Structures are given as structure tokens and as C-alpha cells.
Amino acid sequence: MSHQMKTVTETPADVVRGLYDALGKGDVPGVLAKLAPDVIVDEPRQLPYGGVHQGREVFVQAILGAMMGYANVAITGAEVFEGPAGVIGTLTGTLTAHTTGEEFPLTMVEIHQVEDGTVRKIDVYTKNPHELAAFYARAEAGTR
């Protein structure tokens, strides 16, 4: 009798689901595990952390650090769709400003390129980048 071990490999969509799960739990090591060391994240330029960022540590410091520095982040929904162009993820949630308690509904669409079990590139689109930037400015200033 032969005992063959089957290796279960994650699909690209599974990798992104794991990333979103870790993000939702605030599990930074889990987030890092899903990102390639040289991941490229392209955020809308209007945001305080906008622009192109390279490297998972830069992602954690420049993007997550900035977001969480201004507000508590609660992810309320995540959907993942896999197609020929990559993996599309949608995230919804609420940002709550540390300084004022103001809540802001967050809606993002992300296009992920996944290779060898990690996310290599994320192109981020927010539904309302100018309003989101204004929220961050109010949060920083401590005004509504």
C-alpha cells in the first residue's frame, strides 16, 4: 500500500483571502507572510500615504502605519475574485478618527498580482480618494 502525501497549494485567490483575513485581525506577521519581500503597492496619490511603495516593511510602516496612526480600521467585508488579469479584491470598512471619533466609510478595490504564493503587486483604488484625504486631514488636525 502506497502512502503518498499530497501537497495542497494555495490559489492566488486563497493568498489574497489570507492577506485580507490577516489585515482584518490586525495580524501584522500574517500580513507580511502573504507579501513578497519586494511587494509594490500603488496607492492613490491624494492620500497622505499615497504613491508607489516597494517592500513589505515599507508597506507596514508607510501605509498601515499611516492609516492606523490616524484612525482605527475596521474591515467589515472582503470579497475576492480571480480572473485572467489577476486577483481582484474589494474591501469595505469603517475608519474611526483617533482625535475626533469621526467615522468614515471605506470602500477599496485592489488588483493583486500573485506569484509563488505571495502578493507581488497591489494596485489600490478607493471609491472617494479626495474625501478620504479630507478625512485624514481632519483627523490629523483634530477637527470635524
Side-chain angles (χ1 to χ4, degrees):
M1 184 179 241
S2 170
H3 293 285
Q4 292 181 344
M5 299 271 302
K6 286 188 180 178
T7 358
V8 178
T9 57
E10 286 185 305
T11 67
D14 291 337
V15 171
V16 175
R17 283 186 194 97
L19 174 67
Y20 285 172
D21 184 54
L23 278 170
K25 293 176 181 173
D27 174 11
V28 174
V31 169
L32 290 175
K34 296 296 179 185
L35 299 175
D38 59 346
V39 64
I40 296 171
V41 182
D42 189 351
E43 292 277 353
R45 294 202 182 281
Q46 298 91 335
L47 303 180
Y49 50 86
V52 178
H53 305 278
Q54 185 166 6
R56 58 183 168 204
E57 287 77 18
V58 171
F59 171 79
V60 170
Q61 291 172 1
I63 299 171
L64 290 184
M67 286 179 78
M68 293 175 184
Y70 291 110
N72 289 327
V73 181
I75 296 174
T76 56
E79 293 186 276
V80 176
F81 308 92
E82 191 169 348
V87 178
I88 307 298
T90 62
L91 286 172
T92 55
T94 303
L95 299 174
T96 305
H98 296 306
T99 55
T100 65
E102 176 185 356
E103 291 187 352
F104 187 86
L106 183 65
T107 302
M108 298 188 322
V109 174
E110 301 179 333
I111 301 170
H112 298 259
Q113 291 179 1
V114 179
E115 295 174 14
D116 301 323
T118 61
V119 176
R120 311 262 317 143
K121 184 175 183 190
I122 308 172
D123 202 358
V124 181
Y125 298 88
T126 59
K127 186 170 185 122
N128 44 9
H130 290 88
E131 291 174 30
L132 181 55
F135 165 81
Y136 283 126
R138 289 190 303 274
E140 183 177 33
T143 60
R144 279 189 185 244

